[in-house]
Structure formats: structure tokens, C-alpha cells
Amino acid sequence: SQAPIITLDGPGGVGKGTISALLAEKLGWHFLDSGALYRLTALAAINHGVSLKDEQAVALIAEHLDVQFVQNDTVTHIVLENEKVTEAIRTEEIGTSASIVAAYGRVRDALLKRQRAFAVMPGLVADGRDMGTVVFPDAPLKIFMNASAQERAKRRVKQLQQKGLLPDYDTVLADITARDERDQSRSAAPLKPADDAILIDTTELSIEQVLDAVLEAAQQRA
Ligand code: C5P
């Protein structure tokens, strides 16, 4: 039988990762962090000395990506070519590099099958930019989260501070705006809500309020 799927798409820093993980935990479903695959492709390319401008070489990296998601109690460790990179892929630099390789059609094609393989029983919560439009177009529940760039920058700053870093708000805001622009303007799977997506503006909402809104939508569509 077909596994039920909930897709959560939206721009960077909107809180999709947090909400998706909580939702998957609450439902006891699998969780796909599709952005991690683009980050891993970028990191693998950098590690192999491949220029991010070389679409064909980056595509080969994506096609042969040697990655494992190792579930350990509640945390998932990410292993790239036998090296633990769970934290290494979370930097702003790798985020920006990911958005460069994500614009390549051949890279997106290479990662498509890998993403669809996550759709197994009892169900999947899929987090990304094109989960509802391209990867799982038949998902019964699609959420598109948004928030102002300023609010997302504020949240990202807080997140980085909690990791012990000293981020500069203006730099973070500029990064977010640049990444939005690249994700929205690319021709391959641009960031946009699916026609049948439910839109949630999280600018003024707490994590609990967003989670409640998503669960309510899930009950209505079920
Ligand atoms: O969500 P995250 O910040 O980890 O994603 C990093 C980058 O990967 C995004 O800026 C976007 O360019 C790309 N991405 C994508 N499609 C997805 C998920 C991420 O193009 N489904």
C-alpha cells in the first residue's frame, strides 16, 4: 500500500526543519530533510576539489553520493563517505553552496529517486523547497510555510547564537535574501507553493502554534 505523505515547503529559516521533525515524531513517521541532500552534494564536491560552477562534474558527485542516515535514538547522524558530517553541513557557507548546486537540473534528477525512497510506511514528512510541486506531487497534504525575511534572519541569528557563534544580523539577512532569490528564480523546480498547498505565514506564530495549524490541516485532509 502507499505510504501517506505530508510535504512542508518554504524558504530558508522559516522553521520547516523544526516543525517537520516534531511532526514526524508526533505521528511516528519517517522524516526526509531534502535540503541535507543538496548540502551533502555541495560538501562532497568541495571535498573532491570539484568546482561548484562545473555542472556536469557536480552532477556526477550527486549521482554517486555515498551517504548514510544513521538513526540513533532520537538523533539522526549523517555519514558522508565514512565521515560524520552532521554538523559540518549546517554552516551558512554550505547552505549557500547547496543553493548553487540545487539550480542544476541534472543534480535535482540524480537526487529524485533517493528522496522518493523515503516514502515508506507508516508515512513520511518531507521537508524542502519542491516536495509538493515535484518530488511528491500526489501528496494528500501539502503545507507551504512563509515568514518575512527579517523574521527568518532573526530566528537564524538566535539559532546560530545557541550554537555558540556570533552571527551578524545584516550578514545573515543578506544571505537569506540572496538564497531566496536564487531558489525562486531558477528554472529547475523553483521555490513556490503547489496549487493545492495550504499556506501558513509563521511571522507572528510560535512553534507550538504552527504545529497546531499543521495538525489541524492534517485532520481536515485525512
Ligand atoms: O533547507 P536547507 O537550507 O537545508 O536547503 C539548502 C539549499 O538546498 C536551499 O537553499 C535550496 O537551494 C536547496 N534545496 C532545494 N530543494 C529542496 C531542498 C533544498 O533546492 N527540496
Side-chain angles (χ1 to χ4, degrees):
S1 62
Q2 243 180 348
I5 300 170
I6 298 177
T7 62
L8 271 107
D9 289 305
V14 79
K16 281 171 303 166
T18 306
I19 297 296
S20 309
L22 287 171
L23 190 62
E25 196 188 312
K26 203 156 190 138
L27 298 169
W29 289 9
H30 301 279
F31 172 44
L32 167 61
D33 170 9
S34 61
L37 292 172
Y38 292 94
R39 287 171 181 267
L40 286 159
T41 300
L43 181 61
I46 291 166
N47 286 348
H48 286 278
V50 164
S51 163
L52 299 184
K53 291 184 191 148
D54 187 342
E55 171 163 7
Q56 301 313 323
V58 176
L60 277 172
I61 294 275
E63 282 157 13
H64 296 100
L65 204 59
D66 172 13
V67 58
Q68 280 152 291
F69 294 89
V70 184
Q71 186 78 33
N72 202 332
D73 288 325
T74 50
V75 282
T76 304
H77 290 294
I78 306 181
V79 179
L80 175 67
E81 291 167 20
N82 294 319
E83 190 196 341
K84 201 182 132 214
V85 296
T86 318
E87 283 90 32
I89 60 164
R90 296 299 159 194
T91 65
E92 290 301 289
E93 189 203 341
I94 293 295
T96 297
S97 303
S99 81
I100 293 170
V101 304
Y104 299 145
R106 214 179 122 191
V107 167
R108 306 199 71 85
D109 282 348
L111 299 179
L112 199 55
K113 246 207 198 142
R114 219 183 266 264
Q115 295 175 79
R116 289 187 176 148
F118 279 80
V120 289
M121 294 302 259
L124 175 68
V125 177
D127 162 352
R129 302 288 188 288
D130 62 341
M131 298 297 98
T133 50
V134 175
V135 181
F136 302 111
D138 300 326
L141 178 60
K142 302 175 183 176
I143 307 285
F144 191 92
M145 287 169 60
N146 215 337
S148 71
Q150 289 76 10
E151 176 63 24
R152 287 184 283 129
K154 247 170 61 187
R155 292 178 188 170
R156 185 55 60 86
V157 163
K158 222 165 130 189
Q159 209 174 44
L160 293 170
Q161 283 170 342
Q162 281 163 356
K163 287 188 195 168
L165 300 170
L166 297 167
D168 170 54
Y169 172 83
D170 289 326
T171 309
V172 171
L173 179 61
D175 279 355
I176 282 188
T177 313
R179 193 122 62 94
D180 281 358
E181 168 63 24
R182 221 183 346 257
D183 288 350
Q184 286 161 3
S185 64
R186 69 182 177 218
S187 57
L191 172 66
K192 62 162 190 235
D195 291 336
D196 52 348
I198 293 170
L199 308 182
I200 301 179
D201 187 323
T202 73
T203 308
E204 313 259 321
L205 301 180
S206 67
I207 291 171
E208 291 72 30
Q209 287 172 318
V210 177
L211 192 60
D212 282 348
V214 174
L215 286 169
E216 197 183 296
Q219 267 157 5
Q220 280 172 9
R221 290 267 170 114

